[in-house]
Every structure is written in structure tokens, then in C-alpha cells.
Amino acid sequence: MLPPYASLPEKLWYYSFRVFCGLVLLFLVTPILVIIPLSFNSDSILMYPMSGFSLRWYEEFFHSDIWTHALKNSLIVAPFATLLAMALGTPAAIGLTRIDFPGKALLMAVLISPMVVPVVIVGVATYLVFAPIGLSGSYLGLIMVHAALGVPFVVTTVCATLQGFDYNLVRAATSLGASPLTAFFRVTLPLVAPGVISGGLFAFGTSFDEVVVTLFLAGPQQTTLPRQMFAGIRENISPTIAAVATILTIISVLMLLTLEWLRGRNERLRTAVAE
């Protein structure tokens, strides 16, 4: 908030900075907003002005064997990759946060490296490793790589959630006879659940949207929704792609709303524990 005693230059900077940020946000969001009306266009060409309103492209998406097969594959790979990323990333984050040991910074850098390494390098490297052992062109190989891409998000969000975590609660549980596993599921996990779920949502979004690694590893039977969109853009630009893009946009908005709700829940949990 701008204080009432702010000078004229401060007021000009305050409002001009916000206008500039609003224009940048509008510039970034406009391409997304432009594609949404085109998904309801009755014409078979992606162009303005629209010739009419129709739901034919959504109907084609849900009734096309190619698109529904790609959607089914995405709904197979992304959830399993998310669960695997959460199962691997949560214990890693707890261990990195709770224990100090030599090489901790190096291990943290290795765990989050899939977030910064160009994804095409990940695709080539995993193909060279997976192809000789038969994991290329399989659901298992695709799930493993997508999980590796999602682990950094789980690690970072859980580590952030554990900042300020009171480990005396765990010690109290163990002093009352709880085993380490029981203390984890009854004390630690409920308190870090917002971070785990937030990281899982990021991992799910990463897997559901991933196309480069999928191009290297997936066979014809493992074609995911983003890969099918890529093929459709390359071979024949159909308005069905606009319908799929609109559906993915709605899913992304729902994920962001969920993340905001989890952030608020995490703040309330921290306040309750502090009191």
C-alpha cells in the first residue's frame, strides 16, 4: 500500500510500475486468451473473424480415437509419475532439511538438476540409457523419466514447507512410544502435506505438459496429449488443437487455484502450530 504521506515522484513510480507490470502480464496472457475463442469457431481454419459458434471441435476431440488414446496415455503416465515423484522427493527433502552432512549442497544440486538441465539433453541421455535395456517405447520408461523431472519440484516445495518445522513434535511422538514410521505418517506428513501436494501438482503439470522427452522415448502406443498436439501442428493445423489447448488452460487455472488454497492452508497450519 502507498502511504498517504508519499511524495509525487513516489506516487508516479508506484502507479507507473504497476501499469508496466499489468502490461507485461497482458502481453504474456493475450496469446492464451486469443486461442480460447478460436476453439468455438465453426470454421475449420484458425483465424479471425470467426464465422460462427460451434462445439464441433470439442466433440471431435472426445470422439476421436487418436485424441482419446493420447488423453488416456497422459492420464496413465502423469498420475503415476506424480506419485513416484512424491514418494521419492518427500523423504529426500526431509533428509536434506533435517540432517547436515558433507556433500549436502552437491546432493541438493543433483536432485534439482532436472529442473535446469535442457530437457532435450535429458531426452537424448535417457534414450541412450533406456534403449539398450528395453525401456524405450514403454510406459515404465516414460513414467520414470517424467518422475525424475517432477522430483525437483517436490523437493523444493517440501524443503520450503519444512523451514521452521518444529522437530520437537516428532521427538514428543517417539518419546510416547511411536515408531519413526508412525511418527512420520501421524505427525510429519500431515504438517508437510500442503508442500507435498503442491510439489505433486507441479510434477503432474510438468509430466502432463512434457513433449520433448516423450518424442525420444514414447512409441506409437505411448503417444501423449502434448505429443499428439505437436504432431497435429506439424502435419495439419486443426481447430481441435485449440479445443485441447483450452481444456489444458482450464486445468492449469484449476491447479493454480488449488496451489493458492494450499498456500493459505499451510499458513493457517503454521499459525496454529505456533500458537
Side-chain angles (χ1 to χ4, degrees):
M1 291 293 294
L2 188 67
Y5 52 82
S7 62
L8 180 60
E10 290 175 336
K11 292 180 179 178
L12 289 175
W13 167 252
Y14 179 85
Y15 290 111
S16 61
F17 180 73
R18 276 152 182 76
V19 170
F20 174 75
C21 291
L23 291 175
V24 171
L25 180 63
L26 182 63
F27 176 78
L28 295 174
V29 174
T30 297
I32 301 175
L33 299 179
V34 166
I35 202 67
I36 293 176
L38 289 176
S39 66
F40 299 99
N41 190 8
S42 60
D43 201 352
S44 59
I45 301 176
L46 290 172
M47 63 177 295
Y48 285 102
M50 295 169 53
S51 59
F53 180 86
S54 175
L55 295 175
R56 58 181 290 196
W57 306 117
Y58 290 91
E59 183 179 356
E60 179 175 333
F61 170 69
F62 288 108
H63 289 85
S64 170
D65 293 336
I66 297 176
W67 286 106
T68 53
H69 179 71
L71 177 62
K72 183 189 74 173
N73 286 334
S74 291
L75 294 178
I76 291 174
V77 174
F80 281 104
T82 301
L83 292 175
L84 184 57
M86 292 167 65
L88 297 175
T90 302
I94 294 174
L96 288 169
T97 305
R98 188 170 184 178
I99 303 173
D100 289 324
F101 54 90
K104 177 179 177 179
L106 178 61
L107 179 59
M108 184 68 176
V110 171
L111 287 175
I112 67 173
S113 60
M115 188 184 294
V116 295
V117 174
V119 69
V120 66
I121 296 177
V122 178
V124 173
T126 51
Y127 175 77
L128 293 176
V129 173
F130 283 5
I133 60 177
L135 287 177
S136 178
S138 67
Y139 286 105
L140 179 60
L142 204 57
I143 290 171
M144 290 173 62
V145 178
H146 282 203
L149 294 174
V151 164
F153 296 98
V154 179
V155 170
T156 52
T157 54
V158 175
C159 283
T161 305
L162 287 170
Q163 295 299 320
F165 181 80
D166 188 4
Y167 286 100
N168 289 324
L169 298 172
V170 180
R171 297 188 185 97
T174 54
S175 68
L176 293 174
S179 65
L181 192 62
T182 302
F184 171 77
F185 282 106
R186 299 293 296 272
V187 178
T188 305
L189 187 59
L191 292 177
V192 300
V196 176
I197 299 174
S198 298
L201 288 174
F202 280 114
F204 180 85
T206 301
S207 175
F208 202 81
D209 188 54
E210 211 290 315
V211 62
V212 178
V213 172
T214 308
L215 287 173
F216 281 96
L217 292 180
Q221 296 302 317
Q222 292 83 42
T223 300
T224 59
L225 199 56
R227 179 176 173 177
Q228 183 60 40
M229 293 177 68
F230 179 81
I233 294 173
R234 183 181 59 185
E235 298 170 3
N236 180 26
I237 300 180
S238 168
T240 308
I241 297 176
V244 178
T246 302
I247 294 173
L248 295 180
T249 301
I250 294 173
I251 294 174
S252 300
V253 171
L254 293 176
M255 289 177 60
L256 289 174
L257 292 176
T258 304
L259 288 171
E260 182 62 24
W261 176 80
L262 289 171
R263 186 193 64 81
R265 183 179 182 275
N266 190 32
E267 292 296 328
R268 290 192 296 271
L269 283 174
R270 287 180 178 271
T271 303
V273 171
E275 293 176 352

